[in-house]
Amino acid sequence: MTRVLVTGGAGFIGSHTVDLLMSRGHDVLVVDDLSTGFKANIARWANDPKFTFFKADITADITGTLDQYAAIKGPVERMIHFAAQTAVPLSMDDPVGDIRVNVMGTVALLEYARRNGIEKVAFASSSAVYDDDAPVPVNEESRARPSSPYGIDKLVIEFYLDYYARLYGLKYTALRFMNVYGPRQDPKSYYSGVISIFLDRAVRNEPITIFDDGEQTRDFVYATDVADAVVKSCLEDGALGEIINIGTGVEVTINQTARTILDLAKSRSTITHAPARAGDIRRSVTTMDKAARLLAFQPKVGLREGLEQTLAWVRTQMIVR
Ligand code: UD1
């Protein structure tokens, strides 16, 4: 069993990763400032002796926190790094603040990792690093040319990982996520993922807005499948120094996605169209070869099943509110 630090572990994808690690008996330390994560996402583990939570910001010096944990449990052995400012539009409004959290916060963690001999780091990167004109399907060799400070941060961190690997022998795997969806994705902000917004509107029978003609496509991957890829890349010693796209390889239009959601929710929501959102890419889907070859990654949850499960979760949240 391994002692794993999960930064951003109270967040959407982070908490699914924590669930998987805990269910396999690992000792998990979550560091999260709860800026966009929720304690409720990890509440089920609160009384488990193998679970530790520290509310802390990665840009503050968390060395003391990690040393405190090490004194009680033993040193952190592996690290999964999710903690970030994840809103693309906010990164455009405040690129300096964005670098502070995403780049400086990460480099501080990498410094800790190399000074304390952390065995391996798994990093949550993004398909936002790719050129908008990248070929379809996109693969890991496609040109990286981010269209946002957020995408630039992720690419810069990949370079830092490579630097730490070459200079200090730090082991890592970076995963570039496609469009992740599932329970715990917060629908309430204007940069929320499309599926979380559509489900939220559908259960309330409120109108949903499709930007452009709705024939733009995405590769939607379910959060527990992403968690599976992340845990593999952290705990297995393969895929060293590799960058791997994590998606499903299935390209779906926004129109199809909306129709499936309205159908599953038996919703009376109407669909309205609005002008294309600035900077939206037209088609997005990944090849799966590298993830299959290096991580034996195979997504288990198809879109319809994933939407059903997410819908069930959205309904439980309505009762709570
Ligand atoms: C996603 C990521 C972003 C990343 C980018 C590239 C999310 C939330 N965002 O953006 O961090 O930089 O991939 O990898 O995962 N749409 C509607 N109606 C709505 C909301 C969205 O029609 O109410 C459409 C959008 O115009 C877009 C599609 O749905 O065509 C997906 O939008 P969104 O979920 O925001 O994700 P991306 O733009 O792909």
Side-chain angles (χ1 to χ4, degrees):
M1 293 301 110
T2 308
R3 285 181 296 275
V4 187
L5 164 64
V6 184
T7 72
F12 162 48
I13 311 172
S15 64
H16 286 287
T17 304
V18 168
D19 287 348
L20 187 57
L21 288 167
M22 289 297 298
S23 66
R24 294 194 183 155
H26 296 288
D27 208 299
V28 177
L29 166 63
V30 169
V31 172
D32 197 304
D33 68 354
L34 301 180
S35 55
T36 54
F38 297 96
K39 251 188 149 169
N41 289 345
I42 46 173
R44 58 190 288 203
W45 306 113
N47 297 319
D48 193 307
K50 285 179 166 270
F51 181 77
T52 311
F53 171 71
F54 279 119
K55 182 174 183 296
D57 174 346
I58 55 162
T59 61
D61 186 5
I62 62 166
T63 310
T65 300
L66 296 177
D67 288 347
Q68 212 180 314
Y69 170 86
I72 300 163
K73 299 269 192 155
V76 166
E77 291 162 294
R78 294 187 180 225
M79 175 169 104
I80 299 175
H81 180 37
F82 288 106
Q85 190 303 104
T86 57
V88 174
L90 290 186
S91 80
M92 292 160 151
D93 292 347
D94 180 18
V96 176
D98 207 58
I99 288 174
R100 195 181 70 82
V101 177
N102 291 357
V103 179
M104 293 173 69
T106 302
V107 174
L109 286 168
L110 296 181
E111 275 297 292
Y112 183 90
R114 67 122 174 147
R115 286 180 198 280
N116 292 277
I118 286 187
E119 290 163 16
K120 193 174 179 196
V121 176
F123 172 59
S125 189
S126 170
S127 59
V129 303
Y130 290 113
D131 194 334
D132 288 350
D133 295 325
V136 179
V138 71
N139 68 55
E140 294 81 356
E141 303 305 316
S142 302
R143 181 160 80 134
R145 189 189 178 215
S147 297
S148 65
Y150 170 79
I152 296 172
D153 296 341
K154 294 290 182 184
L155 189 58
V156 165
I157 296 165
E158 290 178 1
F159 281 118
Y160 269 106
L161 286 164
D162 178 60
Y163 159 78
Y164 275 87
R166 281 185 288 144
L167 213 67
Y168 303 112
L170 185 77
K171 292 178 181 160
Y172 78 91
T173 303
L175 303 180
R176 291 176 175 169
F177 302 152
M178 305 307 285
N179 287 61
V180 187
Y181 75 102
R184 304 178 196 157
Q185 191 170 29
D186 186 6
K188 284 184 219 68
S189 72
Y190 74 107
Y191 46 78
S192 293
V194 64
I195 286 180
S196 69
I197 295 173
F198 284 2
L199 282 170
D200 184 69
R201 302 294 182 276
V203 294
R204 293 161 203 283
N205 297 304
E206 290 171 1
I208 67 171
T209 305
I210 293 181
F211 300 125
D212 205 357
D213 63 0
E215 288 302 299
Q216 65 270 37
T217 62
R218 294 294 183 271
D219 182 339
F220 292 110
V221 58
Y222 196 61
T224 56
D225 279 329
V226 173
D228 180 45
V230 171
V231 167
K232 274 188 172 152
S233 66
C234 175
L235 296 183
E236 292 172 10
D237 283 325
L240 290 185
E242 298 286 351
I243 291 168
I244 304 171
N245 289 350
I246 298 298
T248 63
V250 180
E251 188 179 13
V252 195
T253 69
I254 298 305
N255 285 331
Q256 284 167 328
T257 309
R259 276 196 297 271
T260 309
I261 287 173
L262 296 186
D263 174 40
L264 289 173
K266 298 186 174 42
S267 174
R268 296 189 303 279
S269 295
T270 53
I271 294 178
T272 56
H273 282 265
R277 209 170 55 175
D280 242 17
I281 52 169
R282 188 70 183 164
R283 292 180 65 191
S284 176
V285 64
T286 181
T287 56
M288 298 293 293
D289 320 37
K290 196 169 178 183
R293 183 162 45 83
L294 297 184
L295 293 176
F297 172 69
Q298 190 69 54
K300 294 185 187 71
V301 183
L303 185 58
R304 200 176 171 87
E305 185 192 347
L307 289 175
E308 274 170 4
Q309 291 178 21
T310 312
L311 175 63
W313 176 82
V314 170
R315 291 208 158 110
T316 65
Q317 297 304 295
M318 288 186 79
I319 297 162
V320 171
R321 269 186 219 155

